[in-house]
Structure formats: structure tokens, C-alpha cells
Amino acid sequence: MTDTVLPEAESLRSAYFKSRRRKLLCLALLSVLMSLCFVADILIGSQGLGLDAFLKGLLGTEISRESVIVWQIRMPGAVMALLIGMALAMSGVQMQTVLNNPLADPFTLGLSSAAGFGAAMAIVLDKSIVSILPVPSEWFVAANAFLFSLATVFLISTASRVRDLTPETVTLLGIAVMFAFNALLTLMQYMASADQLQELIFWMMGSLAKASWNTILILAVILLLIAPLLLRNAWQLTAIQAHEQMAQVRGVSTERLRLSILILVSFLTAISVAFVGTIGFIGLVAPHTARLLIGEEQRWLMPATLLVGAIFMSATSLISKAAIPGVILPIGVITALIGIPFFLALVMARQPRRS
């Protein structure tokens, strides 16, 4: 019997290390691809910038035309694209896991629309529901977006717990919430002045043009604080994904974990929407792409999703500048045009064929 068990154990050990090497290689290749997209995003713009000029502007110690283009014009948008892609992708994979719903993401569950309405209310009415608190006025838009996104999370979570809703019903509830806030957003457009309407529409289509080093620093700090908290729950999430009742038997407080993750996700979504506007499909496409590449285990899936989200957003930024020379297209439009057929292709690929 020992002679039989030992070869099987050695075979399993060999398969484990082979799978681990493949996943590490996959993460390394994704990191390289993300770096290439980031550099290309800086090189391509309204004015040509060769590799020599890029390196001169990047590494030069004196202020020059190249350094201004690299550090003040193109670098903020390129860095913001990476961070927004990571934030939305992380939000999507966490929501899909805790809600056990492959269609869940900040956009389909109404979080983006809720955050959008909160931000629009601050822009059009110049008021915030946090104005009674000692919050600087420049933070009204982000604070409103966060509170409306958080309220939507509590609404969906409470309804799901009280009515014991199925994942499909939760998705339908999220779609209903999304349409409700979209209608309210249209009302804000109707009430807006000409200048406010222009600002609102520009913001709704999504744009990296207003990226600055201050907003990048804020988003980077938030991402660095939240991502480790989410990664710390990797094994609990893997257990929930495999079998929720079994996870509870093993001591995982599923309801508490679900609520804490949804609050963190709403924070990431709200900050992202407040800084760059409504951008959909990143949180839906990136997790599914990462699953196809690296599998369901959360400790590998999360970093892969972060990288895929950053690549997708950076590539979208690149396309928005290169599609029509001299014109920067709204990035939210590009993500939708690319994301919808890409997601449909993923769904069709996962659908088993009938014999």
C-alpha cells in the first residue's frame, strides 16, 4: 500500500509545483504587458514622442519640452488609468465572489449609477448631504458619491438577507436600482445650467483628462490600504466560493465578511467614479479574463485581476487617443464598445455546447 501511496503523493506534489510555476509565469507576463501598455500610453498623444524623447523627459534633471509632456501632461493620465483599472477590477471580482454571481460588478448592481447620481447632485445643486460635517467643499463630489454608493450596498445587502434572495434576483434588484439612479441623473441634467450640463455630460462619459498627482496620490493610498485587507480574506473567499455552508462550518462568518467587503468595494467604486466619471465593464470583464488565465483560487485570482484591469484600462486609454488623430475620445465610450463584445465572447466561451 505504501508503494502505491508514495507515487500518488509525488504525482500530486509535482502537479502542484507545475501549476504554481504556470501561475507565476502568467503573472509575470501580465506585469510585462501592463508595463508595455503604460509606456505606449505615454508615448502616444496629439504630439509625437519618440522613445529617446520619452527617456530624456523621464530621466532628465532640467525642465524641457519633453519633461513637461511626460511628467505634467501624459504621465498623470497613464498612472490614473492603471489605478482606476485596478480599483474597478478588484471591486468586480470581490462582488462576484461574495454574491456568488458572475454578473455582479459595480455597474450592473447600480453602485456606479448611485455614485454617479451623488456626484451629479453635488455638481448641479452645489450641495452635499455631508455639508453639515466639517468636510472641505472640494470633497463634496467624492463624499456624495461614496455615501450614495454605500447606501445602495446596504439596500441590496439588506434586501438579500431579509428576503433570502437568489443571486439572479439580486442582479435584477441591482439593475432596477441602476435604472432608478439613471432616471434621477437625467433629472439632474434637466435642472442643470448650460455650464453645469457641459461639465456633467463630460464627466458622465468618463475621462482621464482631469487626472492630477493629488488625485493619483489619494487613489493610490486608498488602493494600498484596501487591497491588503481584501487579499487577507483570500482563503475565506475561496472557501465561500467552493461551498458557503461548509465555509460557515469551518468558522467563516459569511454575512460579516460579505458586508465588510461590500463596504470596501463601495469605497473603491465611489472614489473611482468621483475622479474619472462613469466607466463600465472593467469590473465585469477583468475578473472573467483573469479566471480564464489563472483559475478560481483567490490568492492567485486577485493579483491577476488587478493586472488585467490595469491592462484593459491602459489599453482603452491608448485607443481613445489613437483612434482619431488629434482627438481624445471619451474613455467610458471606448470601454463599453470593447467591453460588451468581449464579455459576450467570454460568456459564449463558458457556455457548454449541447451535444
Side-chain angles (χ1 to χ4, degrees), residues 101-115:
N101 189 336
L103 296 178
D105 90 321
F107 196 74
T108 57
L109 289 189
L111 268 64
S112 294
S113 298

Side-chain angles (χ1 to χ4, degrees), residues 50-67:
L51 189 57
D52 293 340
F54 166 68
L55 293 174
K56 179 183 176 183
L58 182 68
L59 304 175
T61 57
E62 297 180 355
I63 297 178
S64 62
R65 170 182 170 274
E66 290 80 7
S67 68

Side-chain angles (χ1 to χ4, degrees), residues 73-249:
I73 298 178
R74 297 186 186 175
M75 184 81 82
V79 175
M80 182 63 90
L82 297 182
L83 296 178
I84 291 292
M86 290 181 180
L88 294 177
M90 177 62 86
S91 300
V93 72
Q94 295 290 322
M95 294 181 73
Q96 289 167 16
T97 302
V98 297
L99 295 176
N100 191 26
N101 189 336
L103 296 178
D105 90 321
F107 196 74
T108 57
L109 289 189
L111 268 64
S112 294
S113 298
F117 170 71
M121 193 173 81
I123 292 173
V124 175
L125 302 181
D126 196 21
K127 291 181 180 178
S128 169
I129 56 178
V130 297
S131 57
I132 58 175
L133 301 175
V135 177
S137 57
E138 59 267 26
W139 284 97
F140 279 3
V141 173
N144 251 20
F146 170 66
L147 288 178
F148 275 90
S149 178
L150 188 62
T152 303
V153 167
F154 276 111
L155 171 67
I156 294 176
S157 178
T158 303
S160 175
R161 188 169 57 254
V162 172
R163 303 287 297 180
D164 194 22
L165 301 179
T166 64
E168 291 78 11
T169 308
V170 171
T171 303
L172 292 176
L173 177 62
I175 291 173
V177 170
M178 179 180 68
F179 279 115
F181 278 113
N182 283 344
L184 292 172
L185 196 56
T186 303
L187 179 62
M188 287 293 105
Q189 292 177 344
Y190 181 77
M191 296 172 60
S193 66
D195 292 338
Q196 290 171 337
L197 184 61
Q198 183 180 12
E199 182 182 357
L200 189 55
I201 290 178
F202 184 74
W203 173 82
M204 285 171 56
M205 291 189 294
S207 173
L208 299 169
K210 291 187 177 180
S212 67
W213 288 112
N214 287 333
T215 55
I216 286 171
L217 179 62
I218 293 169
L219 183 56
V221 169
I222 290 173
L223 199 56
L224 286 173
L225 290 175
I226 291 181
L229 295 177
L230 297 174
L231 288 168
R232 191 182 60 179
N233 298 317
W235 78 265
Q236 291 98 324
L237 292 172
T238 301
I240 290 176
Q241 198 166 30
H243 199 289
E244 183 166 342
Q245 291 180 340
M246 189 63 71
Q248 291 173 341
V249 171

Side-chain angles (χ1 to χ4, degrees), residues 236-267:
Q236 291 98 324
L237 292 172
T238 301
I240 290 176
Q241 198 166 30
H243 199 289
E244 183 166 342
Q245 291 180 340
M246 189 63 71
Q248 291 173 341
V249 171
R250 297 179 64 181
V252 179
S253 177
T254 55
E255 289 300 324
R256 183 178 177 182
L257 180 64
R258 181 174 287 119
L259 183 60
S260 63
I261 286 179
L262 287 178
I263 291 173
L264 294 174
V265 163
S266 70
F267 198 71

